[in-house]
Amino acid sequence: MATMTDNDKPCPCGSGANFADCCEQIINGERASESAEELMRARYSALATGSIDFIVASTHSRTRPEIDLKYTREWSLTSTWRGLQIFETKVSDDNKAYVSFEALFTQAGKDQSHREKAEFELENGEWRFVTGEELKNPTVRYETPRPGRNEPCPCGSGKKYKKCCGA
């Protein structure tokens, strides 16, 4: 009977592949990421596994000095990483791409998330993280259709939607 080793663990990036067959190869320098999204997944996995040297190495040389190494290491090691969701990957030209994502983690017993639109550029033929812009307002998705203007307001006021919450 085979025993499960660390190599058989699912990759933290959520790809469904084993860590050894996915992000671990990129983090260990066995191969380069083939896209900005793949690098984003590897960076998330690096945070989840405490591989801070990879976070530094995979940052563009232009913005590498801006890394707060102490904070990044502490964030990585004191958090339980719960998942990564990629919302959008947009390649703007052959050398630049953007990846919008949400990283879920628990820190000090509180479930949290970090939403960002990350900018990546090719540097010496390899994708590198340049900078990120925090996404503040999550997209609101209605599970049910919005009420019509003349329908009763769902808040229970008894008024029409257009005269209450729809105003």
Side-chain angles (χ1 to χ4, degrees):
M1 183 168 132
T3 59
M4 186 168 189
T5 65
D6 283 352
N7 291 343
D8 294 329
K9 286 184 179 177
C11 191
C13 81
S15 67
N18 290 336
F19 182 53
D21 298 328
C22 193
C23 292
E24 186 177 42
Q25 296 176 359
I26 298 169
I27 292 169
N28 290 341
E30 296 169 25
R31 70 176 184 87
S33 56
E34 296 176 13
S35 67
E37 181 176 327
E38 191 175 48
L39 180 59
M40 180 64 243
R41 291 180 176 282
R43 286 174 61 86
Y44 173 84
S45 294
L47 280 171
T49 60
S51 302
I52 305 308
D53 290 346
F54 177 77
I55 297 296
V56 174
S58 63
T59 301
H60 198 285
S61 62
R62 187 171 70 245
T63 54
R64 195 173 293 150
E66 299 169 17
I67 297 172
D68 183 338
L69 203 54
K70 182 180 177 194
Y71 170 80
T72 304
R73 181 172 281 112
E74 185 177 307
W75 185 37
S76 170
L77 299 176
T78 62
S79 299
T80 301
W81 298 90
R82 299 183 293 112
L84 174 70
Q85 182 179 5
I86 304 287
F87 299 126
E88 179 182 36
T89 299
K90 186 176 182 180
V91 178
S92 64
D93 61 40
D94 290 343
N95 297 313
K96 190 178 281 193
Y98 298 90
V99 179
S100 297
F101 69 92
E102 180 175 36
L104 303 173
F105 62 98
T106 302
Q107 192 172 46
K110 283 183 62 180
D111 289 347
Q112 299 183 50
S113 73
H114 175 76
R115 298 169 51 89
E116 182 177 294
K117 180 179 181 180
E119 179 183 338
F120 295 84
E121 286 182 16
L122 282 174
E123 181 176 36
N124 300 323
E126 292 191 23
W127 286 105
R128 295 285 180 250
F129 169 78
V130 178
T131 190
E133 176 186 329
E134 191 173 351
L135 299 173
K136 299 261 185 211
N137 297 320
T139 303
V140 176
R141 294 187 182 139
Y142 290 96
E143 297 298 321
T144 58
R146 293 178 76 169
R149 290 176 37 82
N150 291 316
E151 292 179 24
C153 191
C155 77
S157 68
K159 298 178 183 177
K160 289 184 178 182
Y161 178 72
K162 68 181 178 185
K163 296 283 187 182
C164 190
C165 295

